[in-house]
């Protein structure tokens, strides 16, 4: 009596879902498939499209040295961004979750970079990295010679990694704080009685219990690291040379010359992110279930 | 190593009874607090100092910005850069564009997301599980993967340089659907059943029973979507190429590409204009932002 009839729920359910089905279908699912379709064509802004099978993929993987560089750069960026963010945010979380004076304000402060547009982040940091900017001035104060940060191929990528970590580490730290707060305090008391030290508690209690949170952070980090674009586009546009050319920057540049190559590289991006997320699920998610 | 001993002290300070606490441990607690501050203060400065430099530089004339770095501007009330950027570029129009686009996206999300979220949480209909799976799948798809096909879809529709082109793909965020569904699941079923007995329709139940009980989550969805749209760059940069249709990040980024010598005085004061509203919003609605950003880890 209380619930509506089954048929009625079917109808209402679909009516309620209709806007989402239209928008998610039209602007997520369809473009995904369309993207795969286009990647089999030779097609640019002016010309007609011609079916060329896997030639776009063949070109990217085996013929285009820029794409190979791009993949290496993306891996380089991702690894540094991943571990840098993970260590900095977990370390920060362990401190800011303490019940000390001022920690609430600090939590707000470290989260603030996250809300500003990434393109603007790129602009601010370009100024900081400029030849007589803040960073070189700071280095000079310690007697270290300033650098042409964004104009030297060996320095540009590290410079961009720092910017990217700056923008998002607060987010991961706050997520870690949420996870740490969920660990029951009496578990630590138990270990206190056993006389365990800080390191032992961290390894045997904090880390294992933090696992679901770490899993979530790791997934976010992987997704965010492979889609890096805005700050690179604003700061270096992939240069100097191709030193900061990453997957999405490469794709963006190709939009204006070849839709086929652009979509083929975006399919590559999707496959990489998808595989890594699945892989993480099996490595980390599975063990959660066991525990 | 340092942070580990801190961890231990935190535990002691929160769980240890006064009886157990010896003089020695109290002393160590103080030291560990000092170490905590010693580590966290540089990290905090790292996070916020760039903002100070941005504001400070916007109050300096061009030659001073590029020639040398000073910690303080000579004149705290030097607003020429702001006047100049508003008169030389359509800043007011860009500001309007950004506000309009972000507001429309927020409105779309707070109308459409609750509808589908309610259906996913409370209605049993064929294909519900498939639909929920699709929502989860779209959560992990980076939008960068979709821009080329979206671009090719918009062009034949004549939607180049229209607000609609930027707004439409963002009207239903998978994130909003997911967050609201989780929140709706936690509303007691009894509330809803009482309303059904009174003869309320599902729509009425959603708006007068469910949503009033999950208002914080709705605010969260609004805040996060506003922030994302305000900062969105790649997709708008493809469809908004007309000078007067640009949003703030696009407009400001175009300063740099149009000339080899970057007009830093204008770029940086325009950046302050673009960043201020979102920071103010963040500070006012912090609770909702933090909730939105951390929710995934809580609810999994």
């Amino acid at each position: 009596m209380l619930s509506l009839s089954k048929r009625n729920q079917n109808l209402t359910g679909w009516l309620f879902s209709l806007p989402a089905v239209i928008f998610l279908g039209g602007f997520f699912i369809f473009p995904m498939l369309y993207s795969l379709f286009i990647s089999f064509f030779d097609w640019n802004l002016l010309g007609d499209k011609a079916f060329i099978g896997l030639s776009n993929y063949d070109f990217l993987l085996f013929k285009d040295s820029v794409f190979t560089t791009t993949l290496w750069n993306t891996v380089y960026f991702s690894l540094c961004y991943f571990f840098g963010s993970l260590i900095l945010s977990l370390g920060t979380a362990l401190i800011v979750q303490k019940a000390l004076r001022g920690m609430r304000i600090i939590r707000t402060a470290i989260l603030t970079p996250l809300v500003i547009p990434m393109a603007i982040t790129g602009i601010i940091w370009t100024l900081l990295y400029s030849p007589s900017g803040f960073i070189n001035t700071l280095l000079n104060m310690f007697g270290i010679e300033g650098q042409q940060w964004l104009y030297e191929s060996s320095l540009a990528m590290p410079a961009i990694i720092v910017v990217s970590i700056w923008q998002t580490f607060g987010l991961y730290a706050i997520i870690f704080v949420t996870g740490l707060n969920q660990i029951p305090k009496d578990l630590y008391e138990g270990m206190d009685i056993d006389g365990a030290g800080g390191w032992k508690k961290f390894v045997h209690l904090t880390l294992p219990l933090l696992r679901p949170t770490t899993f979530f952070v790791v997934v976010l980090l992987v997704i965010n690291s492979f889609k890096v674009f805005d700050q690179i586009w604003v700061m270096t546009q992939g240069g100097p040379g191709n030193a900061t050319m990453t997957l999405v920057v490469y794709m963006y540049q190709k939009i204006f010359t070849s839709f086929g190559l652009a979509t083929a590289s975006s399919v590559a991006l999707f496959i990489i992110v998808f595989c890594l997320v699945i892989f993480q699920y099996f490595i980390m998610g599975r063990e959660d279930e066991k525990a | 190593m340092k942070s580990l001993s801190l961890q231990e002290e935190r535990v002691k300070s929160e769980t240890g009874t006064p009886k157990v606490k010896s003089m020695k441990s109290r002393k160590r607690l103080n030291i560990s607090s000092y170490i905590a501050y010693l580590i966290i203060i540089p990290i905090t400065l790292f996070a916020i100092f760039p903002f100070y430099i941005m504001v400070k530089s916007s109050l300096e004339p061009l030659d001073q910005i590029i020639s040398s770095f000073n910690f303080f501007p000579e004149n705290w009330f030097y607003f020429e850069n702001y006047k100049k950027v508003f008169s030389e570029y359509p800043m007011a129009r860009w500001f309007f564009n950004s506000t309009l686009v972000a507001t429309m996206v927020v409105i779309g999300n707070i109308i459409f997301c609750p509808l589908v979220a309610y259906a996913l949480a409370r209605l049993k209909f064929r294909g519900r599980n498939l639909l929920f799976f699709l929502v989860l799948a779209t959560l992990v798809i980076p939008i960068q993967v979709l821009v080329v096909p979206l671009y090719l879809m918009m062009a034949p529709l004549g939607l180049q340089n229209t607000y609609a082109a930027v707004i439409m793909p963002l009207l239903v965020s998978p994130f909003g659907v997911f967050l609201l569904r989780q929140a709706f699941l936690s509303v007691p079923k009894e509330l809803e059943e009482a309303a059904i007995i009174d003869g309320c329709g599902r729509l009425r139940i959603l708006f007068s029973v469910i949503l009033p009980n999950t208002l914080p989550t709705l605010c969260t969805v609004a805040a996060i979507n506003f922030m994302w749209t305000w900062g969105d760059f790649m997709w708008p940069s493809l469809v908004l190429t007309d000078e007067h249709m640009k949003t703030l990040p696009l407009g400001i980024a175009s300063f740099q590409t149009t000339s080899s010598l970057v007009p830093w005085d204008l770029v940086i004061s325009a950046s302050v204009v673009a960043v201020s509203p979102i920071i103010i919003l963040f500070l006012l609605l912090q609770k909702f932002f933090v909730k939105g950003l951390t929710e995934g880890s809580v609810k999994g």
Side-chain angles (χ1 to χ4, degrees), chain A residues 197-240:
Chain A
W199 172 249
K200 223 175 168 183
K201 279 186 221 163
F202 180 73
V203 173
H204 294 287
L205 198 59
T206 311
L207 277 186
L209 288 173
L210 206 55
R211 210 184 172 94
T213 311
T214 313
F215 175 63
F216 180 64
V217 170
V218 165
V219 169
L220 278 182
L221 273 170
V222 166
I223 295 175
N224 286 343
S225 66
F226 278 89
K227 67 182 194 188
V228 57
F229 172 75
D230 295 3
Q231 59 272 51
I232 297 185
W233 190 250
V234 169
M235 295 173 79
T236 60
Q237 303 212 338

Side-chain angles (χ1 to χ4, degrees), chain B:
Chain B
M1 205 51 212
K2 272 174 192 161
S3 60
L4 300 173
S5 64
L6 297 176
Q7 174 74 13
E8 176 194 26
E9 292 306 336
R10 182 191 64 79
V11 170
K12 282 230 175 85
S13 69
E14 279 172 26
T15 59
T17 51
K19 191 175 65 183
V20 177
K21 231 177 218 170
S22 66
M23 267 313 282
K24 192 185 155 210
S25 89
R26 187 164 299 174
K27 202 175 171 189
R28 273 177 60 203
L29 179 82
N30 280 335
I31 291 171
S32 86
S33 306
Y34 284 129
I35 297 171
Y37 284 121
L38 211 64
I39 300 170
I40 202 66
I41 286 172
I43 294 177
T44 312
L45 284 178
F46 170 64
I48 59 174
F49 203 64
F51 290 108
Y52 168 73
I53 294 176
M54 174 176 68
V55 174
K56 178 222 70 142
S57 305
S58 77
L59 303 170
E60 290 176 337
L62 180 61
D63 52 345
Q64 202 165 357
I65 299 174
I66 50 175
S67 65
S68 67
F69 179 85
N70 303 305
F71 277 89
F72 305 104
E74 268 177 19
N75 176 4
W76 283 98
F77 300 100
Y78 177 84
F79 294 125
E80 290 308 309
N81 298 342
Y82 290 95
K83 284 181 197 155
K84 210 166 132 196
V85 78
F86 269 94
S87 65
E88 285 184 18
Y89 290 91
M91 279 293 288
R93 177 65 193 254
W94 293 344
F95 199 96
F96 170 78
N97 293 344
S98 277
T99 312
L100 181 80
V101 167
T103 309
M104 295 305 282
V105 168
V106 168
I107 292 174
N109 273 283
I110 60 178
I111 293 173
F112 296 134
C113 291
L115 284 175
V116 62
Y118 178 75
L120 288 172
R122 283 296 155 81
L123 298 174
K124 290 194 176 69
F125 59 99
R126 282 175 68 91
R128 182 178 73 165
N129 291 340
L130 177 70
L131 186 62
F132 186 57
F133 173 77
L134 286 180
V135 170
L136 289 182
T138 45
L139 261 179
V140 284
I141 301 177
I143 189 155
Q144 284 77 357
V145 172
L146 308 172
V147 295
V148 184
L150 283 176
Y151 178 72
L152 290 170
M153 283 159 63
M154 295 295 176
L157 295 173
L159 289 173
Q160 273 286 1
N161 282 312
T162 60
Y163 297 122
V166 181
I167 295 167
M168 279 199 306
L170 306 173
L171 279 180
V172 179
S173 65
F175 165 82
V177 176
F178 179 73
L179 211 61
L180 283 166
R181 175 190 172 267
Q182 304 299 95
F184 291 173
L185 283 176
S186 67
V187 177
K189 272 212 164 117
E190 291 73 32
L191 281 178
E192 207 174 337
E193 281 164 2
I196 292 178
I197 292 174
D198 290 347
C200 288
R202 290 289 176 172
L203 211 55
R204 183 75 192 284
I205 291 172
L206 173 59
F207 283 102
S208 53
V209 178
I210 305 279
L211 278 179
N213 280 298
T214 49
L215 220 48
T217 310
L218 197 67
C219 294
T220 300
V221 171
I224 300 287
N225 271 294
F226 190 92
M227 176 189 90
W228 280 345
T229 316
W230 187 267
D232 213 2
F233 183 75
M234 186 173 188
W235 172 236
S237 79
L238 285 171
V239 278
L240 301 179
T241 45
D242 186 273
E243 184 79 354
H244 286 275
M245 291 303 289
K246 284 177 176 168
T247 56
L248 281 167
L250 303 185
I252 297 168
S254 70
F255 286 15
Q256 278 187 294
T257 45
T258 45
S259 71
S260 54
L261 269 176
V262 183
W264 275 115
D265 50 343
L266 306 183
V267 173
I268 216 70
S269 48
S271 298
V272 174
V273 174
V275 163
S276 305
I278 194 70
I279 289 188
I280 291 169
L281 216 56
F282 167 67
L283 294 178
L284 290 177
L285 306 174
Q286 209 191 124
K287 190 173 81 181
F288 301 119
F289 277 95
V290 173
K291 181 178 155 63
L293 297 169
T294 56
E295 199 80 336
S297 68
V298 184
K299 301 259 169 86

